[in-house]
């Protein structure tokens, strides 16, 4: 589950007797999410779908199904998560730092960070990268921007702005991480225009590396 919320669970069942009951719970027991009655479908191979809504916690889940009352066959189970963005939920967009359409003064290299790929390195004061981005809708107009940073020196700072610098969205500084491939994240909250847009990351001091940055709407 991307967030705690409502999921619709559908079971494909058949039964030639009355009274079956399925309990869905946390794997290993402890927390019961819901209970549903299995109808008599008239035949052990007459299949119908039954479904109910349950509340599930956020994150990866282990689900257990218990035959509280047996006498049914199960062919399939599907779990559909409702995609409505609840208050305080965040929808994020990750931009790989090496996916700039223009840059000045920087290089790219194979990264040792989680997930592999490339990172941008040799970022010193005055260097910059321009990106085409899709900024998700935010009911507040605010966004948390998280930068995946490494610095084998004393860290640095950057300005998030429109390419060319006509509009500045925010500044953030970060310390050294002890190694050029020792990664950490730094986040600041800024106001951005939603939609297809261009963003620039301009180094105002450094040296530092960046692997990716994430744009999360604050709703
Ligand atoms: Ca990257």
């Amino acid at each position: 589950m991307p967030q705690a919320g409502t999921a619709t669970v559908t079971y494909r069942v058949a039964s030639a007797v009355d009274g079956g009951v399925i309990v869905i719970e946390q794997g290993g027991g402890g927390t019961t999410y819901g209970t549903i009655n299995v109808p008599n479908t008239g035949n052990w191979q007459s299949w119908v779908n039954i479904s109910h809504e349950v509340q599930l916690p956020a994150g990866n889940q282990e689900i257990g199904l218990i035959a509280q009352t047996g006498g049914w066959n199960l062919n399939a189970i599907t779990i559909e998560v409702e995609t409505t963005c609840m208050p305080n939920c965040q929808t994020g967009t990750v931009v790989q730092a090496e996916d700039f359409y223009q840059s000045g003064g920087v290089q790219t290299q194979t990264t040792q960070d989680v997930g592999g790929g490339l990172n941008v390195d040799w970022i010193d004061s005055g260097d910059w990268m321009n990106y085409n981005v899709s900024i998700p809708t935010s009911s507040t107009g605010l966004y948390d921007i998280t930068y995946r940073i490494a610095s084998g020196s004393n860290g640095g700072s950057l300005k998030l702005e429109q390419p060319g610098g006509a509009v500045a969205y925010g500044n953030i500084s970060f310390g050294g991480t002890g190694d050029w491939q020792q990664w950490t994240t730094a986040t600041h909250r800024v106001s951005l225009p939603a939609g297809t847009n261009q963003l620039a990351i301009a180094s105002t001091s450094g040296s530092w590396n960046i692997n990716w940055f994430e744009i999360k709407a604050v709703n």
Side-chain angles (χ1 to χ4, degrees):
M1 295 283 284
Q3 62 190 82
T6 303
T8 301
V9 184
T10 301
Y11 310 82
R12 184 81 175 157
V13 295
S15 174
V17 298
D18 296 329
V21 178
I22 301 173
V23 176
I24 182 170
E25 63 175 25
Q26 196 173 48
T31 303
T32 298
Y33 297 129
T35 300
I36 187 168
N37 296 321
V38 180
N40 183 339
T41 64
N43 187 290
W44 295 108
Q45 290 293 327
S46 291
W47 296 92
V48 298
N49 289 335
I50 57 174
S51 62
H52 61 162
E53 290 190 342
V54 301
Q55 301 296 315
L56 294 178
N60 289 328
Q61 307 299 323
E62 283 189 18
I63 298 291
L65 295 183
I66 306 295
Q68 181 173 304
T69 306
W72 41 272
N73 296 339
L74 179 67
N75 183 24
I77 172 174
T78 58
I79 300 178
E80 286 180 282
V81 177
E82 298 199 355
T83 53
T84 309
C85 201
M86 308 294 280
N88 296 319
C89 97
Q90 295 191 317
T91 49
T93 300
V94 173
V95 179
Q96 293 297 325
E98 65 274 16
D99 289 346
F100 50 76
Y101 69 86
Q102 283 178 324
S103 66
V106 306
Q107 299 182 12
T108 61
Q109 64 179 176
T110 300
T111 192
Q112 294 169 27
D113 194 9
V114 175
L118 300 177
N119 65 255
V120 177
D121 64 330
W122 287 100
I123 306 171
D124 302 305
S125 182
D127 295 344
W128 52 274
M129 298 83 77
N130 291 348
Y131 300 92
N132 289 306
V133 294
S134 176
I135 301 174
T137 303
S138 167
S139 61
T140 62
L142 297 174
Y143 297 84
D144 285 334
I145 313 297
T146 297
Y147 305 87
R148 186 69 166 171
I149 296 289
S151 174
S153 62
N154 295 323
S157 58
L158 66 83
K159 182 189 294 183
L160 185 69
E161 62 183 14
Q162 275 187 1
V167 178
Y169 296 119
N171 296 280
I172 187 171
S173 58
F174 32 84
T177 62
D179 187 274
W180 297 105
Q181 289 293 330
Q182 183 71 43
W183 296 92
T184 189
T185 54
T187 302
H188 63 163
R189 184 163 289 187
V190 301
S191 179
L192 293 177
T196 302
N197 221 306
Q198 295 181 332
L199 290 178
I201 292 176
S203 174
T204 47
S205 65
S207 301
W208 45 279
N209 297 342
I210 182 170
N211 185 13
W212 48 259
F213 63 99
E214 182 173 29
I215 305 166
K216 273 188 174 176
V218 179
N219 288 308

